Amino acid sequence: MTCSEALFERAQRSIPGGVNSPVRAFTSVGGTPRFIAAAQGAWLTDADGRRYVDYVGSWGPMILGHQHPAITAALEAQLAIGISYGAPTELEIEMAELLCARVPGLEQVRMCNSGTEATMSALRLARGATGRDYILKFEGCYHGHGDALLVKAGSGLLTFGVPTSPGVPADLAKYTLTAQFNDLDSVQALFDAHRDAIAAVIVEPVAGNMNCVPPAPGFLEGLRALCDRDGALLIFDEVMTGFRVGPRGAAGLYGITPDLITLGKIIGAGLPVGAFGGRRDIMQRLAPAGPVYQAGTLSGNPLAMAAGLAQLRALDDAALYARLEATTAELLAGLREAAQRAGVPFSTTQVGSMFGLYFTDRGTPTRYADVIACNLDAFKRFFHAMLDGGVYLAPSAYEAGFVSAAHGREEIDHTLGAAAAAMDAIRR
Ligand code: PMP
């Protein structure tokens, strides 16, 4: 028995399913999750001492790699003067100022503790500001596990085949309308059926919880126009894409300014964090400035602010984003070549350092239905062959992959070496 196997057995006695977030359990790919003992740069080390090139990066936050010296130093400095005060700090102002300076459309911002909190709060604010009850989301898009958003969500729900979680009252779910990503007609139809009743459209501008599906040309522009016509707010959920797909996130990359934006992951550098913000007139409705209530004991936590600020300052570097994108392109070109050599139908998507891998002969997916139609069995076999070869991919066919600034020649060569064998294993 390996150490990970023993730990998984032990974990299941005291933790439901042995994990604190479902996809970590390897349920959809089978086998035993690797329990991680340490991480450095682009590498994870598991409890058995095996090393893996990491393409999960804590599901996105570790864009500079693990144990980046600037972040470690910022954390050590803050540790020396206090962990949490429950009172305002200058660090929070610095974070808010930095976010507002870099993220298009962000005039004011409120910190919270997770992406889930950010989207829940943004929706409450949108409903409070518009006086409308309906929200519109897209099938396969995941916005955290708030009740109203656990309707036809992606990520873990897709992995486990649960369209809408038990425990979400039907009376509540009925206010969540679901359209198809990259299909403006499906959005128009819902606006036609619910005129002047939709508070907000919430979208992952690059869908990262049904693998990685970029927006079709005109899709985000179309959402902006439909929202404006109806008086609904447009919310970009940039928890994944913020500071990932480019230095100004997806709003900057595609030149569309939403009314509200949610952030998380990268802005905390691996510490628990989230944020939501946008138009000043809307944000002013939030307590204590306005009547819409939202709060958090640990919100704006000094350690999270210190780590996040250090990471965001290091990310103020166009050359770094160019390098991330080039490394990712090289990785994907190598994977496609390995697949082609082995005769395995395969395609990839990329936006900056975010990527998707698809085992399909029907072309690159642009819709939810295309993603669902991919060959799951091929993915599972590829995943395990890569894991055996020392490469840690997301343990689900419905998650995006992430490259960090610590991924270099050695890591790409190692990955492509493993991929050649893995593609051969699939063909057999
Ligand atoms: N929104 C998006 C787009 C996400 O990808 C995620 C998590 N992967 C969330 C919201 C929820 O964030 P958290 O897990 O921090 O609650």
Side-chain angles (χ1 to χ4, degrees):
M1 187 182 263
T2 65
C3 292
S4 280
E5 283 167 345
L7 288 169
F8 194 39
E9 244 184 53
R10 182 175 146 209
Q12 289 178 80
R13 281 181 235 131
S14 56
I15 305 173
V19 292
N20 281 312
S21 197
V23 177
R24 292 181 201 168
F26 277 29
T27 311
S28 77
V29 289
T32 305
R34 300 303 189 261
F35 281 67
I36 304 304
Q40 180 68 49
W43 294 82
L44 298 174
T45 304
D46 74 9
D48 294 281
R50 294 198 191 115
R51 296 178 77 234
Y52 307 88
V53 180
D54 180 17
Y55 290 100
V56 177
S58 189
W59 302 93
M62 314 313 289
I63 191 168
L64 297 175
H66 297 278
Q67 301 297 93
H68 188 278
I71 295 166
T72 307
L75 280 169
E76 282 170 353
Q78 185 59 43
L79 260 183
I81 54 175
I83 295 173
S84 184
Y85 313 125
T89 62
E90 189 174 357
L91 276 175
E92 294 166 277
I93 312 175
E94 287 175 26
M95 174 60 89
E97 288 173 349
L98 189 152
L99 293 176
C100 290
R102 299 236 199 118
V103 179
L106 214 59
E107 294 172 348
Q108 288 205 315
V109 63
R110 166 74 49 92
M111 301 305 301
C112 53
N113 303 292
S114 68
T116 294
E117 274 187 50
T119 56
M120 274 169 38
S121 306
L123 283 183
R124 182 180 308 134
L125 180 59
R127 285 169 158 156
T130 58
R132 300 173 174 190
D133 286 337
Y134 285 93
I135 58 162
L136 191 157
K137 73 179 285 292
F138 295 90
E139 187 165 22
C141 280
Y142 178 69
H143 304 288
H145 61 90
D147 280 344
L149 290 162
L150 274 189
V151 177
K152 295 195 179 173
S155 188
L157 284 94
L158 259 184
T159 305
F160 296 106
V162 191
T164 299
S165 173
V168 177
D171 273 353
L172 188 63
K174 77 179 179 201
Y175 290 116
T176 303
L177 309 171
T178 312
Q180 295 301 314
F181 191 78
N182 277 341
D183 177 358
L184 284 174
D185 290 345
S186 71
V187 183
Q188 175 76 63
L190 288 169
F191 269 113
D192 289 345
H194 302 273
R195 219 169 276 281
D196 301 331
I198 297 175
V201 171
I202 185 165
V203 65
E204 292 180 67
V206 176
N209 286 287
M210 50 169 165
N211 212 322
C212 177
V213 181
F219 177 62
L220 298 175
E221 289 84 345
L223 293 183
R224 181 69 274 178
L226 287 171
C227 285
D228 288 345
R229 203 174 306 154
D230 190 79
L233 302 181
L234 179 61
I235 306 176
F236 274 7
D237 181 355
E238 295 228 37
V239 166
M240 194 182 282
T241 54
F243 298 96
R244 167 60 68 179
V245 298
R248 288 154 55 75
L253 184 64
Y254 296 108
I256 309 290
T257 305
D259 302 295
L260 293 173
I261 290 193
T262 54
L263 294 163
K265 301 196 192 256
I266 283 177
I267 67 166
L271 274 81
V273 90
F276 63 103
R279 271 169 42 193
R280 185 182 306 275
D281 61 314
I282 303 173
M283 293 304 289
Q284 281 294 323
R285 309 267 187 134
L286 209 57
V292 179
Y293 198 70
Q294 189 275 341
T297 299
L298 297 179
S299 294
N301 171 264
L303 280 177
M305 295 304 96
L309 278 168
Q311 173 140 290
L312 292 174
R313 285 177 181 138
L315 286 174
D316 190 12
D317 178 353
L320 185 144
Y321 279 96
R323 196 154 48 78
L324 276 168
E325 188 163 342
T327 306
T328 309
E330 190 185 340
L331 166 75
L332 296 178
L335 291 177
R336 289 193 303 270
E337 195 183 312
Q340 200 173 8
R341 235 183 248 152
V344 172
F346 177 75
S347 73
T348 62
T349 52
Q350 176 187 359
V351 184
S353 55
M354 203 173 143
F355 65 83
L357 309 179
Y358 295 100
F359 291 91
T360 177
D361 53 8
R362 301 181 202 190
T364 307
T366 59
R367 304 271 177 108
Y368 171 79
D370 305 335
V371 176
I372 298 302
C374 289
N375 184 341
L376 262 189
D377 186 56
F379 172 79
K380 285 182 203 172
R381 284 189 286 153
F382 182 71
F383 170 84
H384 278 292
M386 293 297 271
L387 198 63
D388 290 345
V391 179
Y392 192 83
L393 297 169
S396 160
Y398 304 119
E399 304 284 354
F402 302 102
V403 169
S404 83
H407 288 72
R409 180 78 282 133
E410 181 195 348
E411 287 77 17
I412 299 300
D413 286 348
H414 176 93
T415 306
L416 295 180
M423 291 291 183
D424 274 342
I426 292 184
R427 191 189 40 191
R428 265 184 263 119

